Amino acid sequence: ELKVEQNPLFLSMQEGKNYTIYCNYSTTSDRLYWYRQDPGKSLESLFVLLSNGAVKQEGRLMASLDTKARLSTLHITAAVHDLSATYFCAVVSGYALNFGKGTSLLVTP
Amino acid sequence: DGGITQSPKYLFRKEGQNVTLSCEQNLNHDAMYWYRQDPGQGLRLIYYSQIVNDFQKGDIAEGYSVSREKKESFPLTVTSAQKNPTAFYLCASSLGRSSYNEQFFGPGTRLTVL
């Protein structure tokens, strides 16, 4: 059974600071997704990482994938309040996605 | 506009009732999925369908049923056999039947048992 673990599960950070969210998974997969969820809302796709060594950046967020280590990271640069949300990583397993429990991020002034 | 719609947005159910959640997509996607989200948890797969008139159980299918009579529609019924149905339900779709097609999510239905 594929397990996906994210850490930390809760993160409070000041505006302007940098931080990294980690996503580990237990079995081989070469495709990983990062989603954002605002309270009470659906999931918004942030990144699709397709292969080992893939790196994608959008604004203050950068995601990377190391399939050999079974690890993906989501790096936040110079955080702003608008980034406050819950972030999920999800790994392809069979015909669906296995999700981590999510990282709730709160960016404070 | 292409997208995925779910209705209703909020649904209240009494003990022992069956309720049906609607999911429609006009993206011409082959595959559709139902997930359940509990507070502080990730999403868990209930059912998925790769093609019309075919569907498969996910990790937590007990107490749920689905149908796929049309490509664009994938309704989910929460039966009285589901012991703890209060949750946020998300429908998703993807272009093809490959496991590597990106999934897009609807806005969700929040179900509460009274």
Side-chain angles (χ1 to χ4, degrees), chain A residues 29-31 33 35 37 39-43 45 47-48 50 88 92-102, chain B residues 9 33 35 37 40-43 45 48 50 59 88 90 97-108 110:
Chain A
S29 179
D30 60 0
R31 183 166 291 217
Y33 299 85
Y35 289 92
Q37 186 178 39
K41 303 293 186 182
S42 186
L43 273 67
S45 180
F47 300 109
V48 181
L50 302 178
F88 291 95
V92 170
S93 175
Y95 288 98
L97 297 175
N98 273 48
F99 284 81
K101 291 187 175 182
Chain B
K9 186 173 181 180
Y33 312 81
Y35 292 90
Q37 185 179 28
Q41 301 293 318
L43 278 65
L45 181 67
Y48 65 97
Q50 298 171 265
D59 299 322
F88 190 44
L90 286 158
R97 284 173 272 168
S98 165
S99 60
Y100 294 99
N101 291 123
E102 184 178 1
Q103 293 184 23
F104 298 89
F105 287 83
R110 190 166 300 279

Short mmCIF file of all heavy atoms in Angstrom, two decimals, chain A residues 29-31 33 35 37 39-43 45 47-48 50 88 92-102, chain B residues 9 33 35 37 40-43 45 48 50 59 88 90 97-108 110:
data_model
loop_
_atom_site.label_atom_id
_atom_site.label_comp_id
_atom_site.label_asym_id
_atom_site.label_seq_id
_atom_site.Cartn_x
_atom_site.Cartn_y
_atom_site.Cartn_z
N SER A 29 7.09 5.74 -7.79
CA SER A 29 6.15 6.50 -8.63
C SER A 29 6.95 7.61 -9.31
O SER A 29 7.85 8.18 -8.69
CB SER A 29 5.01 7.09 -7.81
OG SER A 29 4.15 7.84 -8.65
N ASP A 30 6.64 7.88 -10.54
CA ASP A 30 7.39 8.95 -11.22
C ASP A 30 6.49 10.13 -11.58
O ASP A 30 6.78 10.87 -12.52
CB ASP A 30 8.10 8.41 -12.46
CG ASP A 30 7.13 7.84 -13.48
OD1 ASP A 30 5.91 7.85 -13.21
OD2 ASP A 30 7.59 7.37 -14.53
N ARG A 31 5.40 10.27 -10.84
CA ARG A 31 4.54 11.43 -11.09
C ARG A 31 3.96 11.87 -9.76
O ARG A 31 3.37 11.08 -9.02
CB ARG A 31 3.42 11.09 -12.06
CG ARG A 31 2.55 12.29 -12.39
CD ARG A 31 1.69 12.02 -13.59
NE ARG A 31 2.49 11.93 -14.81
CZ ARG A 31 2.11 12.38 -15.99
NH1 ARG A 31 0.94 12.96 -16.11
NH2 ARG A 31 2.86 12.22 -17.05
N TYR A 33 1.95 15.29 -7.69
CA TYR A 33 1.19 16.52 -7.83
C TYR A 33 1.22 17.30 -6.52
O TYR A 33 1.23 16.72 -5.43
CB TYR A 33 -0.27 16.22 -8.16
CG TYR A 33 -0.49 15.47 -9.45
CD1 TYR A 33 -0.41 14.09 -9.50
CD2 TYR A 33 -0.76 16.15 -10.63
CE1 TYR A 33 -0.60 13.41 -10.69
CE2 TYR A 33 -0.96 15.48 -11.82
CZ TYR A 33 -0.88 14.10 -11.85
OH TYR A 33 -1.08 13.43 -13.02
N TYR A 35 -1.13 20.32 -4.70
CA TYR A 35 -2.38 21.05 -4.76
C TYR A 35 -2.44 22.04 -3.61
O TYR A 35 -1.86 21.82 -2.55
CB TYR A 35 -3.59 20.11 -4.63
CG TYR A 35 -3.85 19.21 -5.81
CD1 TYR A 35 -3.29 17.94 -5.89
CD2 TYR A 35 -4.69 19.63 -6.85
CE1 TYR A 35 -3.55 17.12 -6.96
CE2 TYR A 35 -4.95 18.79 -7.93
CZ TYR A 35 -4.39 17.54 -7.97
OH TYR A 35 -4.64 16.72 -9.03
N GLN A 37 -5.36 24.11 -1.21
CA GLN A 37 -6.77 24.17 -0.83
C GLN A 37 -6.98 25.32 0.16
O GLN A 37 -6.36 25.35 1.22
CB GLN A 37 -7.23 22.86 -0.20
CG GLN A 37 -8.73 22.82 0.10
CD GLN A 37 -9.19 21.50 0.68
OE1 GLN A 37 -8.50 20.90 1.49
NE2 GLN A 37 -10.36 21.04 0.26
N PRO A 39 -9.65 27.32 2.75
CA PRO A 39 -10.69 26.80 3.65
C PRO A 39 -12.05 26.69 2.97
O PRO A 39 -12.54 27.67 2.39
CB PRO A 39 -10.69 27.83 4.78
CG PRO A 39 -9.31 28.38 4.80
CD PRO A 39 -8.89 28.43 3.36
N GLY A 40 -12.65 25.52 3.06
CA GLY A 40 -13.98 25.31 2.51
C GLY A 40 -14.04 25.22 0.99
O GLY A 40 -15.13 25.13 0.42
N LYS A 41 -12.90 25.23 0.37
CA LYS A 41 -12.85 25.24 -1.11
C LYS A 41 -12.32 23.93 -1.66
O LYS A 41 -11.87 23.05 -0.93
CB LYS A 41 -11.96 26.40 -1.59
CG LYS A 41 -12.39 27.76 -1.09
CD LYS A 41 -13.71 28.19 -1.66
CE LYS A 41 -14.03 29.62 -1.26
NZ LYS A 41 -15.36 30.05 -1.77
N SER A 42 -12.33 23.85 -2.98
CA SER A 42 -11.82 22.66 -3.65
C SER A 42 -10.30 22.74 -3.79
O SER A 42 -9.65 23.65 -3.27
CB SER A 42 -12.48 22.54 -5.02
OG SER A 42 -12.11 21.33 -5.63
N LEU A 43 -9.74 21.79 -4.50
CA LEU A 43 -8.29 21.73 -4.70
C LEU A 43 -7.91 22.42 -6.00
O LEU A 43 -8.52 22.20 -7.04
CB LEU A 43 -7.82 20.28 -4.74
CG LEU A 43 -7.49 19.63 -3.40
CD1 LEU A 43 -8.72 19.47 -2.55
CD2 LEU A 43 -6.79 18.30 -3.61
N SER A 45 -4.78 22.87 -8.64
CA SER A 45 -3.51 22.27 -9.03
C SER A 45 -2.41 23.32 -9.08
O SER A 45 -2.57 24.38 -9.67
CB SER A 45 -3.67 21.62 -10.41
OG SER A 45 -2.45 21.04 -10.82
N PHE A 47 1.38 22.17 -9.17
CA PHE A 47 2.48 21.63 -9.95
C PHE A 47 2.22 20.17 -10.28
O PHE A 47 1.65 19.44 -9.49
CB PHE A 47 3.81 21.71 -9.18
CG PHE A 47 4.22 23.10 -8.80
CD1 PHE A 47 4.16 23.51 -7.47
CD2 PHE A 47 4.68 23.98 -9.76
CE1 PHE A 47 4.55 24.79 -7.11
CE2 PHE A 47 5.07 25.26 -9.41
CZ PHE A 47 5.00 25.67 -8.09
N VAL A 48 2.70 19.77 -11.47
CA VAL A 48 2.77 18.37 -11.85
C VAL A 48 4.24 18.07 -12.09
O VAL A 48 4.87 18.68 -12.96
CB VAL A 48 1.96 18.09 -13.13
CG1 VAL A 48 2.04 16.62 -13.49
CG2 VAL A 48 0.52 18.53 -12.95
N LEU A 50 6.91 15.34 -13.28
CA LEU A 50 6.78 14.16 -14.12
C LEU A 50 7.97 13.20 -14.07
O LEU A 50 7.84 12.06 -14.50
CB LEU A 50 6.57 14.58 -15.57
CG LEU A 50 5.35 15.47 -15.82
CD1 LEU A 50 5.29 15.85 -17.29
CD2 LEU A 50 4.09 14.74 -15.40
N PHE A 88 -1.29 20.09 -0.35
CA PHE A 88 -1.28 18.63 -0.41
C PHE A 88 -0.34 18.17 -1.51
O PHE A 88 -0.31 18.75 -2.60
CB PHE A 88 -2.67 18.09 -0.75
CG PHE A 88 -3.71 18.28 0.32
CD1 PHE A 88 -4.55 19.37 0.29
CD2 PHE A 88 -3.84 17.35 1.34
CE1 PHE A 88 -5.51 19.55 1.28
CE2 PHE A 88 -4.80 17.51 2.32
CZ PHE A 88 -5.64 18.62 2.29
N VAL A 92 0.64 9.27 -7.78
CA VAL A 92 -0.15 8.34 -8.59
C VAL A 92 0.03 6.92 -8.06
O VAL A 92 1.13 6.46 -7.82
CB VAL A 92 0.30 8.41 -10.06
CG1 VAL A 92 -0.33 7.28 -10.85
CG2 VAL A 92 -0.06 9.75 -10.65
N SER A 93 -1.10 6.25 -7.90
CA SER A 93 -1.10 4.84 -7.49
C SER A 93 -2.25 4.15 -8.18
O SER A 93 -3.42 4.46 -7.91
CB SER A 93 -1.25 4.73 -5.97
OG SER A 93 -1.36 3.38 -5.57
N GLY A 94 -1.95 3.23 -9.05
CA GLY A 94 -3.02 2.61 -9.82
C GLY A 94 -3.69 3.64 -10.70
O GLY A 94 -3.02 4.35 -11.46
N TYR A 95 -4.99 3.77 -10.58
CA TYR A 95 -5.72 4.71 -11.42
C TYR A 95 -6.18 5.94 -10.66
O TYR A 95 -7.02 6.68 -11.14
CB TYR A 95 -6.91 4.02 -12.07
CG TYR A 95 -6.48 3.08 -13.16
CD1 TYR A 95 -6.35 1.71 -12.92
CD2 TYR A 95 -6.16 3.55 -14.42
CE1 TYR A 95 -5.92 0.86 -13.92
CE2 TYR A 95 -5.74 2.70 -15.42
CZ TYR A 95 -5.62 1.36 -15.16
OH TYR A 95 -5.20 0.51 -16.15
N ALA A 96 -5.65 6.16 -9.48
CA ALA A 96 -6.08 7.33 -8.72
C ALA A 96 -4.89 7.91 -8.00
O ALA A 96 -3.75 7.53 -8.21
CB ALA A 96 -7.19 6.93 -7.74
N LEU A 97 -5.16 8.88 -7.15
CA LEU A 97 -4.12 9.58 -6.42
C LEU A 97 -4.16 9.21 -4.95
O LEU A 97 -5.23 9.08 -4.36
CB LEU A 97 -4.32 11.09 -6.56
CG LEU A 97 -4.20 11.67 -7.96
CD1 LEU A 97 -4.55 13.14 -7.93
CD2 LEU A 97 -2.80 11.46 -8.49
N ASN A 98 -2.97 9.06 -4.36
CA ASN A 98 -2.86 8.91 -2.91
C ASN A 98 -2.36 10.23 -2.34
O ASN A 98 -1.29 10.71 -2.73
CB ASN A 98 -1.86 7.80 -2.56
CG ASN A 98 -2.53 6.45 -2.52
OD1 ASN A 98 -3.25 6.11 -3.43
ND2 ASN A 98 -2.29 5.70 -1.47
N PHE A 99 -3.12 10.77 -1.41
CA PHE A 99 -2.81 12.10 -0.88
C PHE A 99 -2.11 12.02 0.47
O PHE A 99 -2.40 11.13 1.29
CB PHE A 99 -4.10 12.90 -0.69
CG PHE A 99 -4.68 13.43 -1.96
CD1 PHE A 99 -5.44 12.63 -2.78
CD2 PHE A 99 -4.46 14.75 -2.33
CE1 PHE A 99 -5.97 13.11 -3.96
CE2 PHE A 99 -4.99 15.25 -3.50
CZ PHE A 99 -5.75 14.43 -4.32
N GLY A 100 -1.23 12.98 0.72
CA GLY A 100 -0.75 13.21 2.07
C GLY A 100 -1.85 13.89 2.88
O GLY A 100 -2.89 14.28 2.35
N LYS A 101 -1.60 14.07 4.17
CA LYS A 101 -2.60 14.67 5.04
C LYS A 101 -2.67 16.18 4.90
O LYS A 101 -3.59 16.82 5.42
CB LYS A 101 -2.35 14.30 6.49
CG LYS A 101 -2.60 12.83 6.79
CD LYS A 101 -2.51 12.53 8.27
CE LYS A 101 -2.89 11.07 8.53
NZ LYS A 101 -2.85 10.74 9.97
N GLY A 102 -1.71 16.74 4.21
CA GLY A 102 -1.74 18.18 4.00
C GLY A 102 -0.90 18.95 5.01
O GLY A 102 -0.72 18.50 6.15
N LYS B 9 -24.21 22.25 -2.85
CA LYS B 9 -22.99 22.67 -2.17
C LYS B 9 -23.01 22.19 -0.72
O LYS B 9 -21.98 21.78 -0.17
CB LYS B 9 -22.87 24.19 -2.21
CG LYS B 9 -21.57 24.73 -1.66
CD LYS B 9 -21.44 26.22 -1.89
CE LYS B 9 -20.11 26.73 -1.35
NZ LYS B 9 -19.97 28.21 -1.58
N TYR B 33 -13.88 10.50 -10.69
CA TYR B 33 -13.49 10.00 -9.38
C TYR B 33 -14.32 10.66 -8.29
O TYR B 33 -14.72 11.81 -8.43
CB TYR B 33 -12.01 10.32 -9.10
CG TYR B 33 -11.06 9.98 -10.20
CD1 TYR B 33 -10.89 10.83 -11.30
CD2 TYR B 33 -10.29 8.81 -10.15
CE1 TYR B 33 -10.01 10.53 -12.31
CE2 TYR B 33 -9.40 8.51 -11.17
CZ TYR B 33 -9.27 9.36 -12.24
OH TYR B 33 -8.39 9.06 -13.25
N TYR B 35 -13.87 11.43 -4.12
CA TYR B 35 -13.02 11.41 -2.94
C TYR B 35 -13.81 11.93 -1.74
O TYR B 35 -14.70 12.77 -1.88
CB TYR B 35 -11.79 12.31 -3.12
CG TYR B 35 -10.80 11.83 -4.15
CD1 TYR B 35 -10.90 12.23 -5.49
CD2 TYR B 35 -9.73 11.01 -3.79
CE1 TYR B 35 -9.97 11.81 -6.42
CE2 TYR B 35 -8.80 10.59 -4.73
CZ TYR B 35 -8.94 11.00 -6.03
OH TYR B 35 -8.01 10.58 -6.97
N GLN B 37 -13.12 13.82 2.05
CA GLN B 37 -12.13 14.52 2.88
C GLN B 37 -12.72 14.77 4.25
O GLN B 37 -13.79 15.37 4.40
CB GLN B 37 -11.71 15.85 2.24
CG GLN B 37 -10.59 16.53 3.01
CD GLN B 37 -10.17 17.84 2.37
OE1 GLN B 37 -10.94 18.50 1.70
NE2 GLN B 37 -8.91 18.20 2.58
N GLY B 40 -8.70 17.83 8.65
CA GLY B 40 -7.31 17.54 8.96
C GLY B 40 -6.75 16.34 8.23
O GLY B 40 -5.65 15.87 8.57
N GLN B 41 -7.46 15.86 7.24
CA GLN B 41 -7.02 14.67 6.52
C GLN B 41 -6.85 14.96 5.04
O GLN B 41 -7.42 15.92 4.51
CB GLN B 41 -8.05 13.54 6.69
CG GLN B 41 -8.30 13.13 8.12
CD GLN B 41 -7.09 12.48 8.75
OE1 GLN B 41 -6.41 11.68 8.12
NE2 GLN B 41 -6.81 12.82 10.00
N GLY B 42 -6.11 14.11 4.39
CA GLY B 42 -6.05 14.17 2.94
C GLY B 42 -7.30 13.54 2.34
O GLY B 42 -8.23 13.16 3.05
N LEU B 43 -7.31 13.46 1.04
CA LEU B 43 -8.46 12.89 0.34
C LEU B 43 -8.31 11.37 0.25
O LEU B 43 -7.22 10.85 0.04
CB LEU B 43 -8.54 13.46 -1.07
CG LEU B 43 -9.19 14.83 -1.22
CD1 LEU B 43 -8.39 15.92 -0.55
CD2 LEU B 43 -9.40 15.14 -2.69
N LEU B 45 -10.00 7.90 -1.70
CA LEU B 45 -10.76 7.53 -2.88
C LEU B 45 -11.93 6.62 -2.53
O LEU B 45 -11.74 5.60 -1.88
CB LEU B 45 -9.84 6.83 -3.88
CG LEU B 45 -10.46 6.40 -5.19
CD1 LEU B 45 -10.87 7.61 -6.02
CD2 LEU B 45 -9.46 5.53 -5.97
N TYR B 48 -14.05 5.12 -8.59
CA TYR B 48 -13.64 5.78 -9.81
C TYR B 48 -14.20 5.04 -11.01
O TYR B 48 -14.55 3.85 -10.93
CB TYR B 48 -12.11 5.90 -9.90
CG TYR B 48 -11.36 4.59 -9.99
CD1 TYR B 48 -10.95 4.08 -11.22
CD2 TYR B 48 -11.01 3.89 -8.84
CE1 TYR B 48 -10.24 2.90 -11.29
CE2 TYR B 48 -10.30 2.71 -8.91
CZ TYR B 48 -9.92 2.22 -10.13
OH TYR B 48 -9.21 1.04 -10.20
N GLN B 50 -13.47 4.69 -15.25
CA GLN B 50 -12.60 5.02 -16.38
C GLN B 50 -13.36 5.15 -17.69
O GLN B 50 -12.83 5.69 -18.67
CB GLN B 50 -11.52 3.95 -16.53
CG GLN B 50 -10.60 3.85 -15.32
CD GLN B 50 -9.71 2.65 -15.43
OE1 GLN B 50 -10.00 1.57 -14.91
NE2 GLN B 50 -8.62 2.81 -16.14
N ASP B 59 -10.61 2.94 -1.96
CA ASP B 59 -10.18 2.46 -0.65
C ASP B 59 -11.30 2.41 0.39
O ASP B 59 -11.22 1.65 1.35
CB ASP B 59 -9.07 3.38 -0.12
CG ASP B 59 -7.86 3.39 -1.04
OD1 ASP B 59 -7.54 2.31 -1.59
OD2 ASP B 59 -7.25 4.45 -1.23
N PHE B 88 -16.57 16.21 3.59
CA PHE B 88 -16.53 17.02 2.37
C PHE B 88 -16.24 16.07 1.22
O PHE B 88 -15.27 15.31 1.25
CB PHE B 88 -15.42 18.07 2.52
CG PHE B 88 -15.40 19.13 1.47
CD1 PHE B 88 -16.56 19.74 1.03
CD2 PHE B 88 -14.19 19.55 0.93
CE1 PHE B 88 -16.53 20.74 0.07
CE2 PHE B 88 -14.15 20.55 -0.04
CZ PHE B 88 -15.32 21.14 -0.46
N LEU B 90 -15.51 15.39 -2.78
CA LEU B 90 -14.95 16.03 -3.97
C LEU B 90 -15.00 15.07 -5.15
O LEU B 90 -14.60 13.91 -5.05
CB LEU B 90 -13.51 16.46 -3.72
CG LEU B 90 -13.36 17.68 -2.82
CD1 LEU B 90 -11.98 17.72 -2.19
CD2 LEU B 90 -13.61 18.94 -3.61
N ARG B 97 -7.88 7.36 -19.61
CA ARG B 97 -7.92 6.27 -18.65
C ARG B 97 -6.55 5.95 -18.07
O ARG B 97 -6.43 5.16 -17.16
CB ARG B 97 -8.50 5.03 -19.31
CG ARG B 97 -10.00 5.08 -19.49
CD ARG B 97 -10.49 3.91 -20.29
NE ARG B 97 -10.46 4.20 -21.71
CZ ARG B 97 -10.63 3.26 -22.63
NH1 ARG B 97 -10.78 2.01 -22.28
NH2 ARG B 97 -10.61 3.59 -23.90
N SER B 98 -5.53 6.61 -18.57
CA SER B 98 -4.20 6.39 -18.01
C SER B 98 -4.13 6.96 -16.61
O SER B 98 -4.71 7.99 -16.30
CB SER B 98 -3.15 7.10 -18.88
OG SER B 98 -1.92 7.19 -18.19
N SER B 99 -3.39 6.28 -15.78
CA SER B 99 -3.23 6.76 -14.41
C SER B 99 -2.40 8.03 -14.35
O SER B 99 -2.33 8.68 -13.32
CB SER B 99 -2.56 5.68 -13.57
OG SER B 99 -1.29 5.37 -14.10
N TYR B 100 -1.83 8.44 -15.47
CA TYR B 100 -0.95 9.60 -15.45
C TYR B 100 -1.60 10.88 -15.95
O TYR B 100 -0.94 11.88 -16.10
CB TYR B 100 0.31 9.30 -16.27
CG TYR B 100 1.14 8.23 -15.61
CD1 TYR B 100 1.07 6.91 -16.04
CD2 TYR B 100 1.95 8.53 -14.52
CE1 TYR B 100 1.81 5.93 -15.39
CE2 TYR B 100 2.68 7.55 -13.89
CZ TYR B 100 2.62 6.26 -14.33
OH TYR B 100 3.34 5.28 -13.70
N ASN B 101 -2.88 10.82 -16.18
CA ASN B 101 -3.57 12.05 -16.57
C ASN B 101 -3.91 12.87 -15.34
O ASN B 101 -4.42 12.35 -14.36
CB ASN B 101 -4.84 11.71 -17.34
CG ASN B 101 -4.55 11.12 -18.69
OD1 ASN B 101 -4.99 10.02 -19.00
ND2 ASN B 101 -3.80 11.82 -19.50
N GLU B 102 -3.66 14.16 -15.44
CA GLU B 102 -3.91 15.06 -14.32
C GLU B 102 -5.39 15.11 -13.99
O GLU B 102 -6.25 15.14 -14.88
CB GLU B 102 -3.42 16.46 -14.66
CG GLU B 102 -3.54 17.45 -13.51
CD GLU B 102 -2.99 18.82 -13.86
OE1 GLU B 102 -2.53 18.99 -15.01
OE2 GLU B 102 -3.01 19.69 -12.99
N GLN B 103 -5.70 15.12 -12.69
CA GLN B 103 -7.08 15.20 -12.25
C GLN B 103 -7.45 16.63 -11.91
O GLN B 103 -6.68 17.35 -11.29
CB GLN B 103 -7.29 14.30 -11.02
CG GLN B 103 -7.14 12.82 -11.34
CD GLN B 103 -7.43 11.94 -10.16
OE1 GLN B 103 -8.12 12.32 -9.22
NE2 GLN B 103 -6.89 10.74 -10.20
N PHE B 104 -8.67 17.00 -12.28
CA PHE B 104 -9.21 18.32 -11.97
C PHE B 104 -10.42 18.13 -11.06
O PHE B 104 -11.22 17.23 -11.28
CB PHE B 104 -9.60 19.04 -13.26
CG PHE B 104 -8.44 19.29 -14.17
CD1 PHE B 104 -8.08 18.34 -15.12
CD2 PHE B 104 -7.69 20.45 -14.05
CE1 PHE B 104 -6.99 18.55 -15.95
CE2 PHE B 104 -6.60 20.67 -14.88
CZ PHE B 104 -6.25 19.72 -15.83
N PHE B 105 -10.53 19.02 -10.08
CA PHE B 105 -11.52 18.84 -9.04
C PHE B 105 -12.69 19.80 -9.15
O PHE B 105 -12.53 20.96 -9.55
CB PHE B 105 -10.86 19.00 -7.66
CG PHE B 105 -9.99 17.83 -7.30
CD1 PHE B 105 -8.70 17.74 -7.76
CD2 PHE B 105 -10.49 16.81 -6.51
CE1 PHE B 105 -7.90 16.64 -7.45
CE2 PHE B 105 -9.70 15.71 -6.18
CZ PHE B 105 -8.42 15.63 -6.65
N GLY B 106 -13.87 19.31 -8.76
CA GLY B 106 -15.04 20.15 -8.63
C GLY B 106 -15.01 20.92 -7.33
O GLY B 106 -14.10 20.75 -6.51
N PRO B 107 -16.03 21.76 -7.09
CA PRO B 107 -16.05 22.62 -5.91
C PRO B 107 -16.41 21.92 -4.61
O PRO B 107 -16.22 22.47 -3.54
CB PRO B 107 -17.10 23.68 -6.26
CG PRO B 107 -18.00 23.00 -7.23
CD PRO B 107 -17.13 22.07 -8.02
N GLY B 108 -16.95 20.70 -4.69
CA GLY B 108 -17.22 19.93 -3.49
C GLY B 108 -18.64 20.07 -2.96
O GLY B 108 -19.34 21.04 -3.24
N ARG B 110 -20.55 19.53 0.84
CA ARG B 110 -20.35 19.27 2.28
C ARG B 110 -21.61 18.60 2.82
O ARG B 110 -22.69 19.18 2.82
CB ARG B 110 -20.08 20.56 3.04
CG ARG B 110 -19.63 20.32 4.47
CD ARG B 110 -19.02 21.56 5.10
NE ARG B 110 -17.85 22.04 4.39
CZ ARG B 110 -16.62 21.57 4.52
NH1 ARG B 110 -16.39 20.56 5.35
NH2 ARG B 110 -15.62 22.10 3.85
#
